[in-house]
Amino acid sequence: MTSGGAEAVKSALRALVLACMASWVGIMAFFSFVAAPRLFRTLERREAGELVAVLLPAYYQWGIALSGLAVGALVVLAAWRGAGRLRHLAGAALGAVMVIGLVWALGVSLPAANQARRAGDDAAFAATHRQAVRLNVLVLVCGVAVGLLEASALLARRAR
């Protein structure tokens, strides 16, 4: 591949990482800070909880897909020798934490919360909900960090 072709591929991969992270962070922010709270203010608590429980699998699946795509692009970018390799490895590691957190939330926390909710076990539900919120915050922070790493590199390249 020519030098210009390699740079075009790298540029496309960086854009993909930024698009995935911006999309996922935006989805997370909207769902967590707008949609879910509004549902709980508008609907009866039980109905809002059931609706959120129905939406959460797709929420986590989108997060896994977008984060996983970004990790893949970052791994490919890190495979190229040269400037930015450590940044891409750090971004890939943060993205992997995101994917692991989302897979855990989907496969462990959500089923436990649904089981506790159906059983009427408020203490167990509260514990699993706290765990899910902590995972969500971790994933959000990692997503913002990956986005900032890539955006800062883009701005530095444009300043040259």
Side-chain angles (χ1 to χ4, degrees):
M1 183 177 303
T2 66
S3 174
E7 285 308 311
V9 170
K10 288 178 186 179
S11 181
L13 289 171
R14 286 189 213 88
L16 178 63
V17 170
L18 282 170
C20 287
M21 288 298 109
S23 297
W24 179 234
V25 168
I27 290 167
M28 290 181 74
F30 177 77
F31 187 81
S32 300
F33 302 119
V34 177
R38 190 160 292 172
L39 287 171
F40 280 96
R41 281 194 308 271
T42 305
L43 302 173
E44 293 295 322
R45 182 174 172 82
R46 184 185 59 75
E47 292 170 336
E50 288 174 4
L51 183 54
V52 168
V54 167
L55 295 174
L56 281 173
Y59 169 82
Y60 290 130
Q61 290 163 354
W62 271 101
I64 292 165
L66 290 167
S67 300
L69 192 55
V71 169
L74 287 162
V75 167
V76 171
L77 284 165
W80 262 296
R81 302 244 182 251
R85 186 167 191 215
L86 288 177
R87 182 184 71 253
H88 295 129
L89 287 172
L94 289 167
V97 168
M98 294 171 68
V99 172
I100 291 166
L102 291 163
V103 167
W104 183 271
L106 177 62
V108 176
S109 298
L110 183 60
N114 287 340
Q115 182 179 354
R117 186 176 42 81
R118 283 191 299 272
D121 186 345
D122 292 340
F125 178 81
T128 56
H129 183 263
R130 274 191 306 278
Q131 180 185 64
V133 168
R134 287 182 189 128
L135 285 170
N136 208 46
V137 169
L138 174 65
V139 169
L140 180 62
V141 168
C142 289
V144 169
V146 172
L148 289 174
L149 281 171
E150 289 304 310
S152 67
L154 179 66
L155 293 173
R157 270 191 302 283
R158 288 196 176 159
R160 286 186 232 151

